[in-house]
Amino acid sequence: MIRKATSHETNTLLHMTIQAMNESSMGLVENDLQRGLNMFVPLLNSGAYYIIAIEHNQIAGWVLIGPDFNPINEVRTGTITSVYVFPAFRKLGIGRQLMNSAIEELRKEGYAKVLLNVYTGNPAKSLYDDLGFTDLSTVMGMNL
């Protein structure tokens, strides 16, 4: 079952999202509670929300969606900020179901475009490619 998270689930998912930062960033972002709260609470306060997958009466995964406020966007743009499927539920199509639900939800809300960020080496990129996402830019970094 795929559905919007309740407010109680949202609070739980916020902390789970912070815990998943290290894995989803391919080890580039450490699990840091304060950094995570600073990153995700403003999104939730600006209209972002979680869509969750329920399997066997437990949360199997989530997607965090909401508006994208980048002024460079020429059309109303939504964003997929976080996608996560717990290891026990991977390879069952749950990530694809969550992504399809997120895309449809954003479409229903009147968004004309959706963006997401994926770290180099993240295996979820192949799913995003399959769904029709294309590379728009490359973010490069160098430690000093």
Side-chain angles (χ1 to χ4, degrees):
M1 175 173 57
I2 306 284
R3 64 170 173 78
K4 187 174 178 179
T6 66
S7 58
H8 176 70
E9 289 167 333
T10 295
N11 189 46
T12 300
L13 289 164
L14 172 61
H15 289 85
M16 289 178 173
T17 303
I18 293 166
Q19 289 301 311
M21 287 188 325
N22 186 270
E23 182 181 348
S24 63
S25 70
M26 306 311 295
L28 294 173
V29 179
E30 292 182 27
N31 299 344
D32 178 279
L33 178 62
Q34 193 56 55
R35 180 185 299 164
L37 291 173
N38 291 343
M39 188 179 341
F40 296 112
V41 169
L43 295 173
L44 293 167
N45 289 337
S46 298
Y49 59 92
Y50 287 96
I51 296 173
I52 58 174
I54 304 291
E55 291 285 328
H56 310 295
N57 295 317
Q58 60 183 334
I59 296 174
W62 70 78
V63 59
L64 177 59
I65 66 172
D68 186 279
F69 296 107
N70 190 328
I72 198 167
N73 294 325
E74 296 175 354
V75 296
R76 187 163 184 244
T77 303
T79 187
I80 296 174
T81 305
S82 175
V83 180
Y84 190 80
V85 176
F86 287 99
F89 298 100
R90 293 180 184 165
K91 304 294 182 190
L92 301 174
I94 292 172
R96 182 175 298 276
Q97 291 173 21
L98 283 166
M99 287 296 295
N100 284 330
S101 294
I103 292 164
E104 185 56 31
E105 189 73 19
L106 291 166
R107 183 179 287 119
K108 284 182 194 174
E109 291 180 12
Y111 292 98
K113 181 178 179 180
V114 61
L115 299 175
L116 62 78
N117 181 49
V118 60
Y119 283 87
T120 300
N122 188 325
K125 187 174 186 311
S126 62
L127 169 63
Y128 307 146
D129 289 336
D130 287 348
L131 291 170
F133 285 85
T134 58
D135 293 334
L136 298 177
S137 69
T138 300
V139 176
M140 300 173 70
M142 179 176 72
N143 291 331
L144 301 176

PDB file of all heavy atoms in Angstrom, residues 96 99 103 116 118-119 121-136:
ATOM      1  N   ARG A  96      10.181   1.750  -7.290  1.00  0.00           N
ATOM      2  CA  ARG A  96       9.489   2.165  -8.517  1.00  0.00           C
ATOM      3  C   ARG A  96       8.052   2.602  -8.196  1.00  0.00           C
ATOM      4  O   ARG A  96       7.575   3.615  -8.706  1.00  0.00           O
ATOM      5  CB  ARG A  96       9.485   1.027  -9.534  1.00  0.00           C
ATOM      6  CG  ARG A  96       8.830   1.393 -10.866  1.00  0.00           C
ATOM      7  CD  ARG A  96       8.950   0.271 -11.877  1.00  0.00           C
ATOM      8  NE  ARG A  96      10.332  -0.034 -12.203  1.00  0.00           N
ATOM      9  CZ  ARG A  96      11.050   0.617 -13.106  1.00  0.00           C
ATOM     10  NH1 ARG A  96      10.513   1.602 -13.805  1.00  0.00           N
ATOM     11  NH2 ARG A  96      12.306   0.275 -13.348  1.00  0.00           N
ATOM     12  N   MET A  99       8.220   5.994  -6.527  1.00  0.00           N
ATOM     13  CA  MET A  99       8.548   7.037  -7.499  1.00  0.00           C
ATOM     14  C   MET A  99       7.356   7.342  -8.406  1.00  0.00           C
ATOM     15  O   MET A  99       7.052   8.509  -8.664  1.00  0.00           O
ATOM     16  CB  MET A  99       9.765   6.624  -8.329  1.00  0.00           C
ATOM     17  CG  MET A  99      11.077   6.691  -7.576  1.00  0.00           C
ATOM     18  SD  MET A  99      11.512   8.374  -7.077  1.00  0.00           S
ATOM     19  CE  MET A  99      11.750   9.134  -8.689  1.00  0.00           C
ATOM     20  N   ILE A 103       5.570  10.981  -8.636  1.00  0.00           N
ATOM     21  CA  ILE A 103       5.435  11.705  -9.904  1.00  0.00           C
ATOM     22  C   ILE A 103       3.967  12.020 -10.172  1.00  0.00           C
ATOM     23  O   ILE A 103       3.621  13.145 -10.558  1.00  0.00           O
ATOM     24  CB  ILE A 103       6.056  10.886 -11.052  1.00  0.00           C
ATOM     25  CG1 ILE A 103       7.578  10.812 -10.882  1.00  0.00           C
ATOM     26  CG2 ILE A 103       5.682  11.468 -12.414  1.00  0.00           C
ATOM     27  CD1 ILE A 103       8.253   9.735 -11.718  1.00  0.00           C
ATOM     28  N   LEU A 116      15.278  15.892  -9.139  1.00  0.00           N
ATOM     29  CA  LEU A 116      15.842  15.160  -8.017  1.00  0.00           C
ATOM     30  C   LEU A 116      17.343  15.197  -8.149  1.00  0.00           C
ATOM     31  O   LEU A 116      17.897  15.451  -9.223  1.00  0.00           O
ATOM     32  CB  LEU A 116      15.309  13.728  -7.938  1.00  0.00           C
ATOM     33  CG  LEU A 116      15.571  12.747  -9.091  1.00  0.00           C
ATOM     34  CD1 LEU A 116      16.979  12.181  -9.076  1.00  0.00           C
ATOM     35  CD2 LEU A 116      14.581  11.601  -8.991  1.00  0.00           C
ATOM     36  N   VAL A 118      20.824  12.939  -7.356  1.00  0.00           N
ATOM     37  CA  VAL A 118      21.317  11.600  -7.041  1.00  0.00           C
ATOM     38  C   VAL A 118      22.842  11.637  -7.045  1.00  0.00           C
ATOM     39  O   VAL A 118      23.456  12.207  -7.948  1.00  0.00           O
ATOM     40  CB  VAL A 118      20.764  10.536  -8.021  1.00  0.00           C
ATOM     41  CG1 VAL A 118      21.162  10.818  -9.449  1.00  0.00           C
ATOM     42  CG2 VAL A 118      21.180   9.144  -7.612  1.00  0.00           C
ATOM     43  N   TYR A 119      23.428  11.074  -6.003  1.00  0.00           N
ATOM     44  CA  TYR A 119      24.883  11.055  -5.899  1.00  0.00           C
ATOM     45  C   TYR A 119      25.484  10.029  -6.854  1.00  0.00           C
ATOM     46  O   TYR A 119      24.904   8.979  -7.111  1.00  0.00           O
ATOM     47  CB  TYR A 119      25.321  10.736  -4.464  1.00  0.00           C
ATOM     48  CG  TYR A 119      25.192  11.923  -3.545  1.00  0.00           C
ATOM     49  CD1 TYR A 119      23.998  12.190  -2.895  1.00  0.00           C
ATOM     50  CD2 TYR A 119      26.259  12.784  -3.351  1.00  0.00           C
ATOM     51  CE1 TYR A 119      23.878  13.291  -2.059  1.00  0.00           C
ATOM     52  CE2 TYR A 119      26.150  13.890  -2.517  1.00  0.00           C
ATOM     53  CZ  TYR A 119      24.953  14.137  -1.872  1.00  0.00           C
ATOM     54  OH  TYR A 119      24.842  15.227  -1.057  1.00  0.00           O
ATOM     55  N   GLY A 121      27.282   7.044  -8.242  1.00  0.00           N
ATOM     56  CA  GLY A 121      27.456   5.714  -7.686  1.00  0.00           C
ATOM     57  C   GLY A 121      26.231   5.156  -6.987  1.00  0.00           C
ATOM     58  O   GLY A 121      26.207   3.988  -6.614  1.00  0.00           O
ATOM     59  N   ASN A 122      25.196   5.978  -6.799  1.00  0.00           N
ATOM     60  CA  ASN A 122      23.981   5.492  -6.142  1.00  0.00           C
ATOM     61  C   ASN A 122      23.255   4.558  -7.114  1.00  0.00           C
ATOM     62  O   ASN A 122      22.905   4.960  -8.223  1.00  0.00           O
ATOM     63  CB  ASN A 122      23.087   6.666  -5.746  1.00  0.00           C
ATOM     64  CG  ASN A 122      21.912   6.244  -4.897  1.00  0.00           C
ATOM     65  OD1 ASN A 122      21.345   5.168  -5.073  1.00  0.00           O
ATOM     66  ND2 ASN A 122      21.531   7.107  -3.973  1.00  0.00           N
ATOM     67  N   PRO A 123      23.007   3.303  -6.715  1.00  0.00           N
ATOM     68  CA  PRO A 123      22.363   2.359  -7.636  1.00  0.00           C
ATOM     69  C   PRO A 123      20.941   2.748  -8.029  1.00  0.00           C
ATOM     70  O   PRO A 123      20.429   2.256  -9.027  1.00  0.00           O
ATOM     71  CB  PRO A 123      22.384   1.030  -6.876  1.00  0.00           C
ATOM     72  CG  PRO A 123      22.685   1.360  -5.470  1.00  0.00           C
ATOM     73  CD  PRO A 123      23.376   2.681  -5.453  1.00  0.00           C
ATOM     74  N   ALA A 124      20.324   3.657  -7.298  1.00  0.00           N
ATOM     75  CA  ALA A 124      18.967   4.099  -7.642  1.00  0.00           C
ATOM     76  C   ALA A 124      18.940   4.896  -8.944  1.00  0.00           C
ATOM     77  O   ALA A 124      17.885   5.055  -9.550  1.00  0.00           O
ATOM     78  CB  ALA A 124      18.377   4.938  -6.510  1.00  0.00           C
ATOM     79  N   LYS A 125      20.098   5.366  -9.395  1.00  0.00           N
ATOM     80  CA  LYS A 125      20.128   6.162 -10.630  1.00  0.00           C
ATOM     81  C   LYS A 125      19.545   5.389 -11.808  1.00  0.00           C
ATOM     82  O   LYS A 125      18.871   5.970 -12.659  1.00  0.00           O
ATOM     83  CB  LYS A 125      21.529   6.644 -10.961  1.00  0.00           C
ATOM     84  CG  LYS A 125      21.518   7.609 -12.161  1.00  0.00           C
ATOM     85  CD  LYS A 125      22.857   8.216 -12.426  1.00  0.00           C
ATOM     86  CE  LYS A 125      22.848   9.270 -13.504  1.00  0.00           C
ATOM     87  NZ  LYS A 125      22.194   8.926 -14.747  1.00  0.00           N
ATOM     88  N   SER A 126      19.769   4.099 -11.865  1.00  0.00           N
ATOM     89  CA  SER A 126      19.224   3.320 -12.984  1.00  0.00           C
ATOM     90  C   SER A 126      17.694   3.333 -12.961  1.00  0.00           C
ATOM     91  O   SER A 126      17.063   3.369 -14.018  1.00  0.00           O
ATOM     92  CB  SER A 126      19.759   1.891 -12.970  1.00  0.00           C
ATOM     93  OG  SER A 126      19.361   1.218 -11.803  1.00  0.00           O
ATOM     94  N   LEU A 127      17.095   3.330 -11.784  1.00  0.00           N
ATOM     95  CA  LEU A 127      15.638   3.456 -11.684  1.00  0.00           C
ATOM     96  C   LEU A 127      15.191   4.810 -12.220  1.00  0.00           C
ATOM     97  O   LEU A 127      14.246   4.895 -13.006  1.00  0.00           O
ATOM     98  CB  LEU A 127      15.174   3.284 -10.235  1.00  0.00           C
ATOM     99  CG  LEU A 127      13.714   3.650  -9.947  1.00  0.00           C
ATOM    100  CD1 LEU A 127      12.751   2.760 -10.720  1.00  0.00           C
ATOM    101  CD2 LEU A 127      13.439   3.578  -8.446  1.00  0.00           C
ATOM    102  N   TYR A 128      15.874   5.870 -11.821  1.00  0.00           N
ATOM    103  CA  TYR A 128      15.506   7.210 -12.278  1.00  0.00           C
ATOM    104  C   TYR A 128      15.632   7.319 -13.795  1.00  0.00           C
ATOM    105  O   TYR A 128      14.780   7.916 -14.456  1.00  0.00           O
ATOM    106  CB  TYR A 128      16.354   8.276 -11.584  1.00  0.00           C
ATOM    107  CG  TYR A 128      16.348   8.186 -10.070  1.00  0.00           C
ATOM    108  CD1 TYR A 128      17.471   8.522  -9.334  1.00  0.00           C
ATOM    109  CD2 TYR A 128      15.235   7.725  -9.361  1.00  0.00           C
ATOM    110  CE1 TYR A 128      17.486   8.443  -7.949  1.00  0.00           C
ATOM    111  CE2 TYR A 128      15.244   7.633  -7.980  1.00  0.00           C
ATOM    112  CZ  TYR A 128      16.371   7.996  -7.285  1.00  0.00           C
ATOM    113  OH  TYR A 128      16.381   7.901  -5.917  1.00  0.00           O
ATOM    114  N   ASP A 129      16.689   6.739 -14.342  1.00  0.00           N
ATOM    115  CA  ASP A 129      16.856   6.710 -15.800  1.00  0.00           C
ATOM    116  C   ASP A 129      15.683   5.975 -16.449  1.00  0.00           C
ATOM    117  O   ASP A 129      15.101   6.461 -17.428  1.00  0.00           O
ATOM    118  CB  ASP A 129      18.165   6.021 -16.193  1.00  0.00           C
ATOM    119  CG  ASP A 129      19.405   6.827 -15.854  1.00  0.00           C
ATOM    120  OD1 ASP A 129      19.322   8.059 -15.731  1.00  0.00           O
ATOM    121  OD2 ASP A 129      20.474   6.192 -15.706  1.00  0.00           O
ATOM    122  N   ASP A 130      15.315   4.817 -15.905  1.00  0.00           N
ATOM    123  CA  ASP A 130      14.204   4.025 -16.448  1.00  0.00           C
ATOM    124  C   ASP A 130      12.883   4.795 -16.412  1.00  0.00           C
ATOM    125  O   ASP A 130      12.036   4.611 -17.287  1.00  0.00           O
ATOM    126  CB  ASP A 130      14.017   2.715 -15.675  1.00  0.00           C
ATOM    127  CG  ASP A 130      15.098   1.695 -15.957  1.00  0.00           C
ATOM    128  OD1 ASP A 130      15.887   1.887 -16.907  1.00  0.00           O
ATOM    129  OD2 ASP A 130      15.162   0.703 -15.204  1.00  0.00           O
ATOM    130  N   LEU A 131      12.723   5.646 -15.412  1.00  0.00           N
ATOM    131  CA  LEU A 131      11.485   6.419 -15.273  1.00  0.00           C
ATOM    132  C   LEU A 131      11.443   7.641 -16.192  1.00  0.00           C
ATOM    133  O   LEU A 131      10.421   8.299 -16.281  1.00  0.00           O
ATOM    134  CB  LEU A 131      11.293   6.855 -13.819  1.00  0.00           C
ATOM    135  CG  LEU A 131      10.982   5.729 -12.835  1.00  0.00           C
ATOM    136  CD1 LEU A 131      11.056   6.240 -11.403  1.00  0.00           C
ATOM    137  CD2 LEU A 131       9.619   5.118 -13.129  1.00  0.00           C
ATOM    138  N   GLY A 132      12.567   7.940 -16.849  1.00  0.00           N
ATOM    139  CA  GLY A 132      12.588   9.058 -17.789  1.00  0.00           C
ATOM    140  C   GLY A 132      13.332  10.291 -17.326  1.00  0.00           C
ATOM    141  O   GLY A 132      13.361  11.304 -18.031  1.00  0.00           O
ATOM    142  N   PHE A 133      13.946  10.243 -16.153  1.00  0.00           N
ATOM    143  CA  PHE A 133      14.762  11.374 -15.707  1.00  0.00           C
ATOM    144  C   PHE A 133      16.022  11.418 -16.554  1.00  0.00           C
ATOM    145  O   PHE A 133      16.543  10.379 -16.966  1.00  0.00           O
ATOM    146  CB  PHE A 133      15.144  11.225 -14.224  1.00  0.00           C
ATOM    147  CG  PHE A 133      14.021  11.504 -13.275  1.00  0.00           C
ATOM    148  CD1 PHE A 133      13.111  10.506 -12.953  1.00  0.00           C
ATOM    149  CD2 PHE A 133      13.855  12.761 -12.715  1.00  0.00           C
ATOM    150  CE1 PHE A 133      12.071  10.744 -12.078  1.00  0.00           C
ATOM    151  CE2 PHE A 133      12.809  13.014 -11.839  1.00  0.00           C
ATOM    152  CZ  PHE A 133      11.922  12.000 -11.520  1.00  0.00           C
ATOM    153  N   THR A 134      16.498  12.626 -16.823  1.00  0.00           N
ATOM    154  CA  THR A 134      17.726  12.797 -17.595  1.00  0.00           C
ATOM    155  C   THR A 134      18.683  13.701 -16.833  1.00  0.00           C
ATOM    156  O   THR A 134      18.262  14.535 -16.019  1.00  0.00           O
ATOM    157  CB  THR A 134      17.437  13.412 -18.980  1.00  0.00           C
ATOM    158  OG1 THR A 134      16.787  14.680 -18.808  1.00  0.00           O
ATOM    159  CG2 THR A 134      16.562  12.497 -19.813  1.00  0.00           C
ATOM    160  N   ASP A 135      19.964  13.544 -17.101  1.00  0.00           N
ATOM    161  CA  ASP A 135      20.972  14.387 -16.467  1.00  0.00           C
ATOM    162  C   ASP A 135      20.805  15.820 -16.946  1.00  0.00           C
ATOM    163  O   ASP A 135      20.711  16.073 -18.150  1.00  0.00           O
ATOM    164  CB  ASP A 135      22.377  13.899 -16.826  1.00  0.00           C
ATOM    165  CG  ASP A 135      22.695  12.547 -16.231  1.00  0.00           C
ATOM    166  OD1 ASP A 135      22.104  12.197 -15.194  1.00  0.00           O
ATOM    167  OD2 ASP A 135      23.536  11.833 -16.789  1.00  0.00           O
ATOM    168  N   LEU A 136      20.777  16.763 -15.983  1.00  0.00           N
ATOM    169  CA  LEU A 136      20.652  18.172 -16.314  1.00  0.00           C
ATOM    170  C   LEU A 136      21.927  18.946 -16.037  1.00  0.00           C
ATOM    171  O   LEU A 136      22.196  19.942 -16.694  1.00  0.00           O
ATOM    172  CB  LEU A 136      19.502  18.821 -15.509  1.00  0.00           C
ATOM    173  CG  LEU A 136      18.110  18.256 -15.779  1.00  0.00           C
ATOM    174  CD1 LEU A 136      17.094  18.942 -14.872  1.00  0.00           C
ATOM    175  CD2 LEU A 136      17.721  18.436 -17.233  1.00  0.00           C
TER     176      LEU A 136
END
